[in-house]
Amino acid sequence: MSDFALAYFNTELDKLDVPSLKEILEKVKGLIAKKEGDTAFCRKLGGLEDGFFMADDFDETPECFREYM
C-alpha cells in the first residue's frame, strides 16, 4: 500500500466511531482467519517432475488468425 493510500485510510478510520471500528476489526479478523485456513491457492513446490506437454503445432498460427498474418 502506498504512503498516500495508507494516510487516506487512516484519516477515514479516524472519522469512525468505536462500534464501527470494532465491526471493521471483526471483519478483518474473519478475513485473515479465512485466508489462513484456505489452502486452495497455496503454491506447492515442484509440479514439473513429470515434465509438461506442448502440442506439436504450438508455433503454428491458428486457422482463425491466418487472415491477419
Side-chain angles (χ1 to χ4, degrees), residues 37-59:
D38 186 15
T39 59
F41 296 106
C42 292
R43 292 186 180 187
K44 297 176 184 169
L45 295 177
L48 292 177
E49 295 89 7
D50 299 327
F52 61 93
F53 171 77
M54 185 177 293
D56 295 332
D57 62 349
F58 177 78
D59 287 331

Side-chain angles (χ1 to χ4, degrees), residues 17-49:
D17 57 350
V18 173
S20 296
L21 291 172
K22 286 182 180 179
E23 186 178 333
I24 291 171
L25 178 62
E26 293 305 315
K27 180 67 175 176
V28 170
K29 284 181 181 179
L31 291 171
I32 290 171
K34 182 179 175 184
K35 182 179 178 187
E36 289 174 351
D38 186 15
T39 59
F41 296 106
C42 292
R43 292 186 180 187
K44 297 176 184 169
L45 295 177
L48 292 177
E49 295 89 7

